[in-house]
Amino acid sequence: MAQPAIATDGPDAARAERGGVGSRLPAFDTAGGEAFAMDDAPAAYALLHNRRIPLRQAAADAYARLRPTALVKLIEQRVVDQPGGARLLSVLERPSGPCLADLALGQGLPDRIIRHQLVPAVAGALRALHEAGVTHRGINPKRLFFQDASLDRVRLMECFSAPPGGDQPAVFEPIERMTTLAAGRGEGTPADDYYALGVTVLALIKGQDLAQGRSPEQLMAAKIAHGSYWALTGGAELAGGLNVLLRGLLQDEPKQRWGGDELADWLGGANRTAATPADNWSFARQVNYGAGSYGDRRALAQALAADTGEAAAYIKKQDLEHWLSLHLPQAPTTSEFFRLILHGQGGRRSDIALGGPDYLVARFCAMLDPMGPIRFRHAVVMPDGLGPALADALNQGPGSPVAEDLADLILSPLLSSLGDIVSMMPGGVRRGSFSSDLAKLAKLIHARSQNDAVERALYALNPGLICQSALFGHRWVATPADLARAAEALAAAKANLDFADAHITGFLAANSKDAAAEFRRLPAAHRDGQALASVMLSVLGKLQQLDALGPMPALGGYFGKRLLPALRKLKSSSMRERAEKRLQAVIDKGDLELMARLFDLPSIQRKDLSGFNTARGKVNLIDRRLLALEAKVLPSDPLPLLYGARGGALFATLVLAAAAVFGGMS
Amino acid sequence: MSAAKKVRQARQVRQQTLRARHAPGLQNWVLLVVFSLAGLGFFPHLTMVILVGMMPSLVGYALARGLGRGQRAYTLAAFNLAGVLPYVFDMLWGVRQGASAALVLSDVYAWFVMYAAAALGAMVNWTAPAAAAFFIAQRNRDQARALRRVRQSLIDEWGAEVAGADAKPTPAAAAAPAPAP
């Protein structure tokens, strides 16, 4: 994440105390932040982001690369101190004209405004965004304003503060995304932006709420039954050229929906027609389920997910192969596919069978509606919306049913099974795109015994989310380097640093490959404070080195205190004394990387134990030898007999030689 | 002592023990008889003196048993020969040159010298193991002392636990901080 400047002193500090903001501007609020006027910049407004809602990082980064368009410009971003904690403040251009929704209320907007101002402006903004690789996912009448009172220039509000689609009423979402949790609608595709544009144009023409009090499920049913165009126009065809535009933009099939090129042609006056809607979702034969009869796969999926007990009973009663041949002949007919649906076991031997009703229904619904959301208990989310949905669910506090269901979803092999099913079904998304959303998850949470797996998933899927650990309180911790600095500050203030926090280890593992590798070595990190401290030292040491963070004597002292008891437990006294002397020197330097390298505790302890065992072996050997040496030596023992005989022989030889010499001489 | 040396020593003891179980080989006696007969044929008087004078060695060799018997027999024979040699030299080059065996053997002092020398050899055989035992015990004591020093240094380095519950570090080592429990 780009590091905005932190205003901590000077004129900005006074502003920073109240966030540098003036009065509230609720019209510019989003699901991710509150808008305020800027006292000293009437042409700008400030958006104070919610700490617990992840920033759409890619969209925020794309803003820097965008050429000028109808999108409001991002002037600056900085972190400001607030009573509830440091928060990100984005300063954006402020349109002073009225909101298009307010202008259109009751009577609708004139044709010329829509044709000559709204559509070209939004089309240009979308094209720029899509070229930068991001989607807007927040196009609706309340996010469109006139630049000023002259009403000649339309501005589109920013799209990075809220989860994608999180601010959208369900009616602005295409069929496959409209019944999900608001935060779980997902990044989507450019086609989803053009759909939202189509609904926006229709809403501004009609000047009324197109939902008309209907629930998302009712709206979905209407769109499935009649198509979005007819469901939203109320069956009345609109006259004029806008009709063609709307038919093109409101195509339910994304491949047939108008995109940037078609829109540009239409704006240029070319004679474009909307394609006849394709029918890819009908059953070959109607399915009787419950009290109803279903001709559309998506509708049946929705009905099944509403009551998993009844749905599972229905599914288990069917002969799946026969059912598919009757109703869904385009589905695969291999035994592997059937096993995947019924038991969640694919070709991989390591797959664990998941036979609970919720899992079975989730798989069956994925088969019926491969373009639609994951439907697992309370967790109805698009695969590309898992991250924001998880962040939102965890924000609701412990015990949130959605959070528990999402955790089960993430930690179980169900996601892999769903990916397999979706990729095998015609019309399903390519495996690559589904898997790319889960690629980070698979790497980080492969060891499901890790007790921070959910947190790893949270931060891996939400790169714009700051560390939510209570340890850092009100600090802004957006990167591992920030975490290291915050930890140093806490250690210097003699705060109780407890790294056994799933948010800390999850944040580090998700944002640092080195950290992820270190934590993989430690399956039960939270159960062993000493081992976790050792790993944290290694992680922070690497961060200190990679990010050139400078000496960290306070953290050095903290880790030194934790290392000392373990070093004092070493059995070798020389190793102990040497280690204690070296530790003090390293603490004074504040070099965590050096400390981690010199005091690799597991390695030191292994060496110590190995030395101890060797010494013990030597002592045992010595004791045995001493027993033998201290035994009484008798002349009748073999060795004295042997050596005595040799000695005597040697002496006899000398005597004989002397006798020979002297006897010969005489 | 190095491990290789210990192994060599143990092997020698084993071999000697095995050999000691059997009586001396017959071939040695055959050789003795042959040489005696040859000697009697060519140098009858000299051979007679040697045979009579070396009788204790022959008896000792015949009766020798146990570890190192060959060397013990050698010791006895060497001392015995040391007592016989002067008279042999006498008969060859000295005052008794060309004398008969009866002349030499009629000298009681000759008997005394030859057999006393053999007795000295027997005494050496008898006392040598005790002397060896003394030196071995001394060497063992020195080795034990050195090993105890090594053992203590290991205890001082690694703590009493390395040697079992009753081991104690030296006072100097005990003064150093012990490992935390």
Side-chain angles (χ1 to χ4, degrees):
Chain A
M1 184 180 185
Q3 280 299 293
I6 299 176
T8 54
D9 56 18
D12 281 348
R15 277 169 53 196
E17 277 179 14
R18 48 190 181 91
V21 297
S23 55
R24 287 273 285 116
L25 293 172
F28 296 149
D29 281 352
T30 70
E34 296 154 333
F36 296 85
M38 302 277 299
D39 292 340
D40 51 358
Y45 78 98
L47 191 66
L48 260 181
H49 294 260
N50 188 321
R51 282 172 59 91
R52 303 181 78 80
I53 291 180
L55 197 71
R56 281 184 73 196
Q57 196 57 53
D61 293 341
Y63 252 70
R65 302 194 295 273
L66 288 179
R67 59 179 187 274
T69 63
L71 275 164
V72 293
K73 209 167 123 194
L74 175 64
I75 298 168
E76 68 162 325
Q77 274 186 322
R78 58 176 189 264
V79 176
V80 295
D81 284 328
Q82 285 283 291
R87 291 168 75 171
L88 182 66
L89 183 116
S90 298
V91 179
L92 297 134
E93 268 185 309
R94 176 184 171 180
S96 55
C99 177
L100 266 66
D102 297 334
L103 260 186
L105 197 60
Q107 68 231 359
L109 282 182
D111 229 29
R112 71 173 167 75
I113 289 182
I114 291 176
R115 203 186 267 273
H116 298 295
Q117 287 166 26
L118 170 67
V119 175
V122 175
L126 287 181
R127 189 175 273 272
L129 271 176
H130 298 160
E131 279 170 7
V134 297
T135 51
H136 190 282
R137 302 288 287 116
I139 299 173
N140 67 68
K142 289 192 175 165
R143 301 289 288 159
L144 292 159
F145 290 79
F146 281 107
Q147 175 65 35
D148 48 39
S150 64
L151 307 186
D152 59 3
R153 198 173 159 216
V154 171
R155 306 303 301 277
L156 176 61
M157 303 309 286
E158 55 80 26
C159 60
F160 54 79
S161 64
D167 266 337
Q168 292 287 71
V171 69
F172 290 87
E173 290 288 296
I175 291 172
E176 59 270 14
R177 292 180 192 268
M178 63 189 303
T179 54
T180 66
L181 298 168
R185 292 205 173 116
E187 288 288 332
T189 63
D192 299 320
D193 278 340
Y194 289 111
Y195 184 91
L197 173 61
V199 181
T200 299
V201 165
L202 183 58
L204 288 171
I205 289 171
K206 295 191 118 187
Q208 65 190 53
D209 176 12
L210 296 178
Q212 294 176 335
R214 290 176 286 185
S215 69
E217 290 74 23
Q218 287 170 328
L219 276 168
M220 181 187 171
K223 287 185 183 181
I224 287 173
H226 308 293
S228 289
Y229 177 81
W230 294 112
L232 295 177
T233 56
E237 186 155 347
L238 298 175
L242 285 175
N243 189 42
V244 174
L245 172 70
L246 287 170
R247 280 181 178 275
L249 292 174
L250 291 177
Q251 285 278 357
D252 289 313
E253 184 55 40
K255 286 184 186 145
Q256 292 183 313
R257 194 176 299 151
W258 279 17
D261 292 340
E262 291 82 0
L263 203 50
D265 286 346
W266 182 84
L267 285 168
N271 195 12
R272 276 263 173 194
T273 53
T276 309
D279 180 15
N280 295 327
W281 298 102
S282 296
F283 284 115
R285 282 169 74 154
Q286 294 262 335
V287 174
N288 296 323
Y289 169 69
S293 180
Y294 298 86
D296 189 280
R297 291 157 60 182
R298 296 164 296 184
L300 178 62
Q302 194 65 20
L304 288 171
D307 184 342
T308 54
E310 189 188 339
Y314 170 81
I315 294 165
K316 282 180 186 167
K317 257 199 318 204
Q318 312 304 318
D319 172 357
L320 183 61
E321 190 176 352
H322 178 64
W323 192 95
L324 288 175
S325 68
L326 266 185
H327 303 294
L328 206 56
Q330 63 268 47
T333 52
T334 59
S335 56
E336 186 200 344
F337 184 73
F338 301 146
R339 207 168 49 241
L340 193 57
I341 299 294
L342 293 174
H343 306 293
Q345 269 178 315
R348 294 180 287 257
R349 282 193 204 136
S350 59
D351 287 352
I352 303 163
L354 292 168
D358 301 327
Y359 295 86
L360 174 61
V361 172
R363 292 192 297 271
F364 201 85
C365 290
M367 177 193 70
L368 291 175
D369 187 9
M371 293 280 287
I374 297 169
R375 294 176 171 95
F376 179 67
R377 299 183 198 143
H378 297 96
V380 182
V381 294
M382 294 301 287
D384 56 356
L386 258 177
L390 183 61
D392 185 61
L394 290 173
N395 280 344
Q396 288 162 31
S400 148
V402 175
E404 285 174 12
D405 294 340
L406 281 172
D408 283 346
L409 175 66
I410 284 166
L411 297 178
S412 73
L414 178 61
L415 276 179
S416 300
S417 311
L418 295 177
D420 288 340
I421 292 168
V422 156
S423 65
M424 287 166 93
M425 283 300 296
V429 293
R430 286 194 323 277
R431 173 130 182 100
S433 61
F434 193 115
S435 295
S436 68
D437 297 331
L438 308 175
K440 289 177 216 172
L441 271 181
K443 261 191 182 170
L444 281 174
I445 64 169
H446 72 286
R448 290 184 173 83
S449 59
Q450 301 271 7
N451 54 1
D452 62 354
V454 172
E455 284 75 11
R456 289 180 186 216
L458 173 68
Y459 294 108
L461 295 174
N462 295 292
L465 185 64
I466 61 170
C467 183
Q468 303 289 302
S469 170
L471 180 67
F472 301 118
H474 298 168
R475 290 167 201 271
W476 183 262
V477 175
T479 62
D482 287 343
L483 191 145
R485 286 190 207 97
E488 171 68 10
L490 285 169
K494 310 271 191 257
N496 183 21
L497 272 180
D498 182 9
F499 289 117
D501 182 334
H503 277 285
I504 293 178
T505 54
F507 178 82
L508 283 172
N511 285 287
S512 161
K513 275 189 202 146
D514 291 327
E518 291 281 344
F519 288 127
R520 249 197 299 276
R521 294 196 287 124
L522 207 63
H526 296 273
R527 287 200 287 276
D528 182 348
Q530 181 60 62
L532 176 62
S534 183
V535 169
M536 282 304 299
L537 171 61
S538 180
V539 167
L540 291 174
K542 283 200 175 90
L543 286 172
Q544 183 185 36
Q545 195 187 35
L546 287 169
D547 293 320
L549 297 176
M552 294 181 143
L555 274 177
Y558 167 82
F559 283 113
K561 275 206 198 96
R562 263 133 203 90
L563 281 172
L564 209 51
L567 291 176
R568 286 194 177 141
K569 278 187 193 169
L570 291 177
K571 297 182 196 298
S572 165
S573 60
S574 59
M575 210 189 271
R576 209 162 51 234
E577 282 161 26
R578 222 171 28 241
E580 285 179 30
K581 273 199 196 118
R582 273 175 127 182
L583 181 62
Q584 194 49 54
V586 171
I587 286 173
D588 295 337
K589 266 189 180 173
D591 188 340
L592 299 182
E593 194 273 331
L594 183 64
M595 192 186 279
R597 203 162 17 96
L598 291 179
F599 297 97
D600 179 1
L601 213 47
S603 165
I604 291 174
Q605 286 169 333
R606 264 198 308 273
K607 212 170 149 186
D608 182 59
L609 187 64
S610 168
F612 177 79
N613 288 335
T614 305
R616 191 185 245 167
K618 275 190 191 155
V619 168
N620 288 340
L621 211 64
I622 289 173
D623 287 342
R624 279 200 299 275
R625 185 82 187 111
L626 281 174
L627 263 177
L629 288 172
E630 284 163 0
K632 207 165 161 53
V633 182
L634 298 171
S636 54
D637 289 341
L639 225 48
L641 280 176
L642 215 58
Y643 285 162
R646 277 194 202 155
L650 185 65
F651 182 49
T653 306
L654 292 172
V655 165
L656 181 62
V661 167
F662 290 116
M665 280 167 59
S666 66
Chain B
M1 196 190 295
S2 71
K5 212 170 168 185
K6 275 188 219 161
V7 166
R8 246 196 334 269
Q9 194 178 82
R11 200 185 312 136
Q12 280 172 352
V13 169
R14 262 201 316 276
Q15 283 170 344
Q16 294 279 351
T17 310
L18 280 171
R19 238 183 268 154
R21 286 191 191 136
H22 305 292
L26 198 60
Q27 62 265 30
N28 293 343
W29 290 111
V30 167
L31 273 172
L32 189 67
V33 165
V34 165
F35 277 116
S36 301
L37 289 174
L40 282 171
F42 291 98
F43 309 101
H45 297 282
L46 196 63
T47 306
M48 186 59 77
V49 166
I50 291 172
L51 280 176
V52 171
M54 294 295 288
M55 195 55 69
S57 302
L58 295 174
V59 171
Y61 177 69
L63 296 179
R65 293 288 183 272
L67 275 179
R69 66 177 181 198
Q71 284 156 334
R72 277 186 277 121
Y74 169 81
T75 304
L76 182 61
F79 272 89
N80 198 179
L81 189 60
V84 168
L85 268 182
Y87 295 96
V88 167
F89 290 147
D90 245 359
M91 288 177 78
L92 286 172
W93 301 298
V95 297
R96 293 191 179 90
Q97 190 177 23
S100 69
L103 189 65
V104 174
L105 292 176
S106 62
D107 183 359
V108 71
Y109 290 110
W111 286 88
F112 176 72
V113 166
M114 288 188 279
Y115 279 53
L120 211 59
M123 183 108 68
V124 166
N125 274 340
W126 186 63
T127 56
F134 172 80
F135 285 114
I136 288 171
Q138 193 60 40
R139 186 191 64 181
N140 285 356
R141 268 195 293 276
D142 292 341
Q143 280 183 355
R145 207 175 302 129
L147 284 175
R148 273 192 215 99
R149 276 200 295 272
V150 170
R151 187 178 186 277
Q152 194 57 48
S153 71
L154 287 171
I155 290 170
D156 290 343
E157 169 67 12
W158 295 98
E161 206 186 309
V162 77
D166 54 351
K168 288 189 188 119
T170 53

